[in-house]
Amino acid sequence: SQTIHQWPATLVQPVGSPLSLECTVEGTSNPNLYWYRQAAGRGLQLLFYSVGIGQISSEVPQNLSASRPQDRQFILSSKKLLLSDSGFYLCAWSVRAVRTNEKLFFGSGTQLSVL
Amino acid sequence: AQKVTQAQTEISVVEKEDVTLDCVYETRDTTYYLFWYKQPPSGELVFLIRRNSFDEQNEISGRYSWNFQKSTSSFNFTITASQVVDSAVYFCALSEAYTGRRALTFGSGTRLQVQP
């Protein structure tokens, strides 16, 4: 069966520090991978998605970046965190398909607090 | 551009009451898919249902039912005889079938609190 791992679960970082969140998927090949952010009391905002190694699509211009060094690994990074980067970050995967009708499977999330 | 609106920010009911969560969407595509996800306090989103734009039949799964009405661009979710375990944030989402953007657009979510 497929599983998705996301870590760390919680993170407290000072403003201006770097960030690296990692997500890995097991039990499937060639997944689509996604990073979403959920600000406190708000909905889910798509940050990045990837349909293959090295292929990253950015939805929102910001100081965050994403990379996919391996087929089932998705990394969210920042060189210098801002207060506004605080939120709940969710990684997700879906079966790669021509049509966007495949359901998403989510990780357990990372609660990031930038102080 | 596609958009999903969940106008109800928070709903509080007493156990065993029925509750309906509203979802209204906007899309230019004629082929699209609608989803509902549940986010319990643990944080991980759980898939509930997927419905394509050509299938307007209502669906029932246990205490859950979904009413898809293309004429009003709505995809409402009803929980019958609510239970405390139903307390969560519920998200409605939309994807367009043939755009290059391979991702879901989520609504802002509705927080449901079921009181014992």
Side-chain angles (χ1 to χ4, degrees):
Chain A
S1 63
Q2 301 89 4
T3 56
I4 178 169
H5 302 281
Q6 186 181 343
W7 67 93
T10 59
L11 190 60
V12 180
Q13 292 284 94
V15 170
S17 63
L19 171 74
S20 180
L21 302 181
E22 190 163 342
C23 171
T24 60
V25 180
E26 296 177 358
T28 187
S29 297
N30 305 315
N32 287 343
L33 296 172
Y34 308 84
W35 279 110
Y36 281 88
R37 177 170 63 195
Q38 184 179 19
R42 302 184 65 180
L44 291 165
Q45 178 187 38
L46 177 66
L47 301 176
F48 301 95
Y49 67 93
S50 171
V51 299
I53 295 175
Q55 300 179 58
I56 308 294
S57 295
S58 175
E59 285 285 308
V60 182
Q62 58 210 332
N63 68 319
L64 299 173
S65 63
S67 62
R68 185 170 177 174
Q70 300 180 43
D71 181 47
R72 292 169 292 173
Q73 183 185 28
F74 206 25
I75 298 172
L76 181 69
S77 304
S78 174
K79 292 182 179 179
K80 289 185 178 181
L81 283 169
L82 306 173
L83 287 174
S84 58
D85 292 324
S86 294
F88 190 58
Y89 289 81
L90 285 157
C91 181
W93 74 274
S94 69
V95 172
R96 184 173 300 177
V98 174
R99 304 178 184 180
T100 54
N101 60 338
E102 296 299 330
K103 61 186 179 183
L104 296 180
F105 299 91
F106 285 85
S108 53
T110 296
Q111 183 64 54
L112 172 65
S113 299
V114 182
L115 305 177
Chain B
Q2 53 187 356
K3 182 180 178 182
V4 177
T5 300
Q6 294 179 256
Q8 305 152 306
T9 305
E10 187 163 344
I11 301 175
S12 182
V13 299
V14 177
E15 209 170 15
K16 297 185 182 179
E17 285 186 22
D18 298 347
V19 58
T20 295
L21 310 181
D22 297 333
C23 173
V24 175
Y25 61 91
E26 295 177 26
T27 176
R28 296 179 184 176
D29 215 339
T30 57
T31 304
Y32 51 90
Y33 299 85
L34 296 163
F35 301 76
W36 274 97
Y37 282 84
K38 174 182 179 180
Q39 185 181 37
S42 62
E44 183 176 335
L45 272 79
V46 177
F47 168 84
L48 295 178
I49 189 172
R50 172 182 60 206
R51 176 55 54 87
N52 74 58
S53 53
F54 296 109
D55 183 2
E56 287 195 69
Q57 286 189 351
N58 291 333
E59 182 157 339
I60 298 174
S61 176
R63 296 184 296 106
Y64 295 171
S65 62
W66 290 269
N67 184 345
F68 176 32
Q69 292 197 344
K70 220 168 175 177
S71 59
T72 56
S73 297
S74 64
F75 187 43
N76 297 337
F77 173 31
T78 297
I79 302 175
T80 304
S82 59
Q83 300 176 2
V84 173
V85 294
D86 295 326
S87 297
V89 180
Y90 291 86
F91 290 94
C92 181
L94 165 73
S95 72
E96 294 172 339
Y98 296 109
T99 65
R101 182 178 181 273
R102 304 189 184 286
L104 301 184
T105 296
F106 284 84
S108 55
T110 296
R111 180 177 298 277
L112 173 65
Q113 292 190 335
V114 182
Q115 309 290 344

